[in-house]
Amino acid sequence: TLLLRGQARLLVYSISASTSLPLAGADGWEPNSVIPGTDTVTLTNRNGEVAVRNGAGPQRRVLEGVALVRDTAVADDLSLFGGVDAQNRLWVQQGWTARPDVVTENVARIAWGPISRRAAVQASDLETRIFDGLSRRWFPLGPVLVGSWSADEKRFLYVAGRRNEKQLLPQ
């Protein structure tokens, strides 16, 4: 089974049956990703709100009261939720019951790790830092041209840059 992005929605494609079906949303909520290796779906609505649905269970809102516009992430074990709002603030919520809060402002670009518990965050001044969402610690890197996370999210391989270089973290 493959997950494909169609023109307007996500599609589940069965290789054996050679068929694709839309991944179902509900009541104004559109699926935007599936956590690899699980049946956990992240959904968003027109207001930028985020919800998570595990299998056929009910969907639960996360980052409640926050309108996200980009770079939404959900950790594979559902321990962390994050995203960037229209004011370029990075919001993070630890677990289901915590309240979301702003961990940094002036976010120009962000590269979430594959597990979505860590992120390389580039500010508008091009300085890049690693944010560890579980410990809530920051690790400075300086300007970064390009970078890539290891599969276990313990390492971030990157090419350091200079402030006047334009091609920085992928968008």
Side-chain angles (χ1 to χ4, degrees):
T1 303
L2 298 172
L3 182 66
L4 305 171
R5 182 166 301 278
Q7 287 184 337
R9 57 181 7 172
L10 291 178
L11 303 170
V12 177
Y13 179 77
S14 169
I15 295 171
S16 60
S18 295
T19 59
S20 62
L21 297 170
L23 189 61
D27 301 327
W29 291 87
E30 287 295 321
N32 66 3
S33 69
V34 175
I35 296 175
T38 72
D39 57 353
T40 303
V41 179
T42 63
L43 305 109
T44 55
N45 66 16
R46 289 184 184 189
N47 299 326
E49 297 169 307
V50 178
V52 176
R53 183 180 69 225
N54 196 354
Q59 65 189 40
R60 295 175 65 180
R61 287 188 185 193
V62 294
L63 297 157
E64 206 157 341
V66 180
L68 301 175
V69 296
R70 63 184 174 96
D71 301 316
T72 303
V74 175
D76 64 350
D77 63 357
L78 306 178
S79 62
L80 190 79
F81 311 97
V84 179
D85 68 10
Q87 288 78 42
N88 297 321
R89 299 177 295 188
L90 174 59
W91 288 82
V92 170
Q93 175 181 330
Q94 289 181 308
W96 292 106
T97 58
R99 296 184 50 80
D101 62 337
V102 174
V103 295
T104 193
E105 298 182 7
N106 302 316
V107 175
R109 291 178 182 80
I110 186 166
W112 287 98
I115 301 171
S116 296
R117 285 187 226 133
R118 288 186 175 173
V121 180
Q122 194 166 68
S124 57
D125 66 359
L126 306 181
E127 287 295 312
T128 304
R129 302 180 291 161
I130 298 293
F131 175 67
D132 183 318
L134 297 181
S135 70
R136 300 181 70 85
R137 292 181 56 202
W138 290 93
F139 304 94
L141 296 180
V144 171
L145 288 173
V146 65
S148 180
W149 284 101
S150 63
D152 63 3
E153 214 171 71
K154 292 183 178 179
R155 293 171 305 280
F156 184 70
L157 178 66
Y158 67 97
V159 176
R162 295 184 300 267
R163 293 189 202 297
N164 62 349
E165 293 181 276
K166 299 198 188 294
Q167 181 64 34
L168 297 167
L169 281 177
Q171 294 188 20

